[in-house]
Amino acid sequence: MQEKPDYQTLGPIDYLFNRFRKIRNYTTKLCAPLAPEDFVVQPIVDVSPPKWHLGHTTWFFENFILVPNHKGYKLFNKRYNYIFNSYYENAGDRILRSNRGNLSRPLLKDVLDYRKHVDQHLVELIGKLDLDSPLLGLIELGLQHEQQHQELLITDLKYIFGNNPLFPVYQENDGDIISEFSRETCSTNYEKIDGGIYQIGHQGNSFCYDNELGIHDVYIKEFSSRATLITNREFLEFINDKGYENHNLWLSEGFEWVKKHNITAPEYWFRKGENWVNYTLTGIKPIVLDAPVCHVSYYEADAFAQWKGERLATEFEREVSSKKIDSAGRWEWTNSAYLPYPGFKKADGALGEYNGKFMVNQMVLKGASTATSIGHSRPSYRNFFHPQLRWQYTGIRLTKNN
Ligand SMILES: [Fe+2]
């Protein structure tokens, strides 16, 4: 986790310098436990190799900030646009997402040199900026983007190691780099949230993504939210009650997914004799019963809520309840489809592709996870994933009607 630099004492430019260095260094620090062989693996299309994350976040700064704004800037390698462009049609042709794991070249050393080259020029550029420069906002976007990839880097690494039969250990002790075992007090308390008309969306001048804008009123009926996340102990009761086999609990698509992939437990859970164990960043460990259940899909979260006779919150309910109930270290599936807010406007050009074009067939998640950088999330933050995906730190909070 990173310290939060003090905006007030440093002033905007020094604050940005400080923040830029810390965030960029944190990405490479996350890779410190890796061996060269670990940097290239792509076990499934959703998981990108660590080397690609290192290059892509650097390309983002180079392509969107340095190339158009830093006079005389020379590309580190003009062929990198093809391999490190992720999904920006406006930025030209690119390697297929599924082929990122084929990139034995460039060497890791070359990608680290690329990072140094771009960082050096970014620092030069920041030094020349006026306080009212629009580039300050663009650089902040680059940093927020880097933080999103830091979280992906951790979850992708976990998937790479957690699907290697040797189950490599990323960190010796929980908390050396990432704390996975945040414990919730096992409680079934509920917080009542008053009904009424609430303003939804990001307010104020601080950074937000375009998908949080378009502030609008939403009527919310009084409801109650569980004060704590669902624990492994509770999820185990669902498993032992044959929850995965009871089609009455499942959405049709969800039950098809369970049958097709023979799903019997959250991602990374394995049977060891009579007991369940799970892969963690510290290796295979017994399930911590009082920790929040993690690595579940939307389908599992919804089926679990059905089993309890309750439901998942809408993204609007969860934004409102965040004033009373903090997130406890897991992204929480909501039952809201990821759609544009009324008044949503995407930016012109390539950066308009950042969020808007993904607003179909995905569900919104609220909160933050143990892998989310400090200060990166907020109540209006809208994370989104396809309903079957579960390699992120995704958990369950229940809601009930009053
Ligand atoms: Fe990206």
Side-chain angles (χ1 to χ4, degrees):
M1 292 289 185
Q2 302 143 75
E3 294 164 43
K4 221 175 165 184
D6 187 341
Y7 186 88
Q8 300 297 337
T9 51
L10 292 176
I13 299 291
D14 280 348
Y15 170 80
L16 190 60
F17 264 129
N18 195 323
R19 196 167 147 70
F20 180 78
R21 288 206 180 94
K22 279 193 173 171
I23 291 176
R24 292 285 283 168
N25 290 341
Y26 185 62
T27 308
T28 41
K29 186 183 161 197
L30 289 172
C31 295
L34 304 186
E37 290 83 352
D38 301 326
F39 278 93
V40 197
V41 183
Q42 185 181 28
I44 53 169
V45 66
D46 304 292
V47 166
S48 295
K51 189 170 68 180
W52 187 86
H53 285 296
L54 291 172
H56 165 69
T57 47
T58 303
W59 169 83
F60 192 94
F61 282 110
E62 181 181 64
N63 185 65
F64 293 126
I65 296 168
L66 289 177
V67 169
N69 300 296
H70 195 32
K71 228 176 156 190
Y73 176 77
K74 288 201 174 56
L75 290 174
F76 181 79
N77 183 328
K78 62 181 190 319
R79 295 163 76 191
Y80 281 9
N81 191 67
Y82 183 78
I83 56 175
F84 292 131
N85 176 6
S86 51
Y87 53 66
Y88 297 90
E89 300 284 350
N90 282 286
D93 291 342
R94 65 213 165 276
I95 189 171
L96 278 177
R97 189 180 182 189
S98 54
N99 286 349
R100 290 174 188 167
N102 298 347
L103 295 169
S104 57
R105 305 299 169 103
L107 296 173
L108 175 61
K109 177 189 158 302
D110 298 331
V111 175
L112 293 175
D113 284 347
Y114 179 38
R115 285 182 77 84
K116 275 191 204 139
H117 173 86
V118 164
D119 285 358
Q120 185 196 328
H121 287 88
L122 238 306
V123 166
E124 269 173 35
L125 180 66
I126 293 172
K128 291 179 189 162
L129 294 180
D130 296 325
L131 291 183
D132 57 354
S133 169
L135 281 186
L136 292 174
L138 202 53
I139 293 168
E140 181 58 36
L141 176 67
L143 292 174
Q144 297 278 340
H145 171 255
E146 181 109 9
Q147 288 185 318
Q148 284 185 306
H149 278 274
Q150 287 167 350
E151 178 153 6
L152 290 169
L153 192 51
I154 295 161
T155 52
D156 291 3
L157 275 167
K158 183 167 181 179
Y159 195 90
I160 290 167
F161 282 177
N163 284 277
N164 181 322
L166 299 180
F167 298 113
V169 168
Y170 173 69
Q171 56 185 3
E172 282 306 316
N173 305 296
D174 187 56
D176 284 352
I177 301 172
I178 300 294
S179 296
E180 288 190 288
F181 298 128
S182 64
R183 283 166 196 255
E184 282 255 287
T185 314
C186 213
S187 132
T188 49
N189 291 345
Y190 284 79
E191 281 278 357
K192 184 168 87 63
I193 309 293
D194 292 335
I197 294 173
Y198 290 91
Q199 281 204 318
I200 297 297
H202 182 76
Q203 304 194 34
N205 298 321
S206 56
F207 176 86
C208 73
Y209 286 112
D210 56 2
N211 61 6
E212 297 165 63
L213 292 175
I215 299 169
H216 58 291
D217 289 345
V218 171
Y219 173 70
I220 289 174
K221 202 165 173 286
E222 182 188 286
F223 68 98
S224 291
S225 170
R226 267 284 278 269
T228 54
L229 293 168
I230 296 303
T231 60
N232 287 321
R233 184 189 302 279
E234 291 176 286
F235 202 81
L236 208 45
E237 288 167 14
F238 169 78
I239 296 175
N240 291 339
D241 195 36
K242 302 197 183 311
Y244 278 99
E245 294 153 53
N246 183 351
H247 57 84
N248 290 309
L249 302 174
W250 293 82
L251 292 162
S252 169
E253 239 179 54
F255 201 58
E256 289 305 313
W257 171 80
V258 163
K259 286 189 289 183
K260 184 174 174 194
H261 301 283
N262 192 24
I263 306 287
T264 57
E267 183 81 61
Y268 303 121
W269 284 38
F270 307 93
R271 275 264 187 211
K272 197 175 175 190
E274 288 298 293
N275 298 316
W276 287 98
V277 293
N278 65 340
Y279 176 74
T280 71
L281 294 173
T282 50
I284 300 277
K285 300 282 176 189
I287 304 286
V288 178
L289 290 175
D290 289 333
V293 67
C294 196
H295 297 300
V296 289
S297 67
Y298 172 77
Y299 298 135
E300 289 163 295
D302 184 74
F304 180 87
Q306 292 289 322
W307 178 70
K308 282 278 194 184
E310 298 184 13
R311 63 181 176 84
L312 304 178
T314 65
E315 64 167 314
F316 312 113
E317 288 170 333
R318 189 62 187 100
E319 187 170 328
V320 170
S321 71
S322 68
K323 290 196 176 67
K324 280 190 168 176
I325 304 166
D326 207 4
S327 162
R330 298 285 181 263
W331 287 108
E332 299 168 23
W333 286 106
T334 73
N335 67 5
S336 295
Y338 179 50
L339 295 171
Y341 285 169
F344 167 73
K345 284 195 198 81
K346 56 182 180 183
D348 292 334
L351 288 173
E353 296 183 54
Y354 199 108
N355 282 311
K357 71 182 188 180
F358 300 110
M359 291 175 172
V360 67
N361 295 336
Q362 308 209 52
M363 302 305 285
V364 173
L365 297 103
K366 286 288 193 178
S369 90
T370 186
T372 311
S373 296
I374 289 174
H376 183 71
S377 191
R378 53 198 158 267
S380 61
Y381 196 99
R382 306 176 77 201
N383 200 353
F384 52 92
F385 281 102
H386 289 104
Q388 76 278 15
L389 295 178
R390 53 187 199 157
W391 93 110
Q392 298 301 303
Y393 289 91
T394 46
I396 308 171
R397 185 184 299 279
L398 293 184
T399 292
K400 62 181 182 186
N401 303 327
N402 288 353

